[in-house]
């Protein structure tokens, strides 16, 4: 039960020592159940943030609860 949310996240990778930093986008699906618990259902690398009109604003409180 609950609701599923699809989000496009921008992830900045500072890179390992001696490597350049990289910016990647990840498409995720998160379920919020009727008790307010969050569950990460799926994730995959994507170019979703490069689409016209795409927004990468994320509620980091939600992400922290997922971790």
């Amino acid at each position: 039960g609950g609701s599923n949310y699809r989000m496009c996240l921008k992830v900045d990778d500072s890179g390992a020592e001696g490597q350049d930093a990289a910016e990647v986008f990840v498409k995720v699906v998160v379920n919020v159940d009727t008790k307010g618990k969050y569950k990460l259902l799926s994730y995959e690398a994507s170019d979703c943030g490069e689409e016209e009109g795409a927004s990468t604003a994320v509620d980091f409180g939600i992400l922290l609860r997922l971790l």
Side-chain angles (χ1 to χ4, degrees), residues 2 5-6 8-9 12 14 17 20 22-23 26 30 32 36-37 41-43 45 51 53 59 61-62:
Y5 297 92
R6 287 182 288 151
C8 177
L9 308 179
D12 293 315
S14 60
E17 189 173 328
D20 292 336
E23 181 179 279
V26 181
V30 175
V32 182
K37 290 192 175 189
L41 298 179
S42 67
Y43 63 94
E51 296 170 1
D59 180 345
I62 290 173

Side-chain angles (χ1 to χ4, degrees), residues 25-28 42-46:
F25 293 94
V26 181
K27 191 182 300 184
V28 300
S42 67
Y43 63 94
E44 65 179 322
S46 175

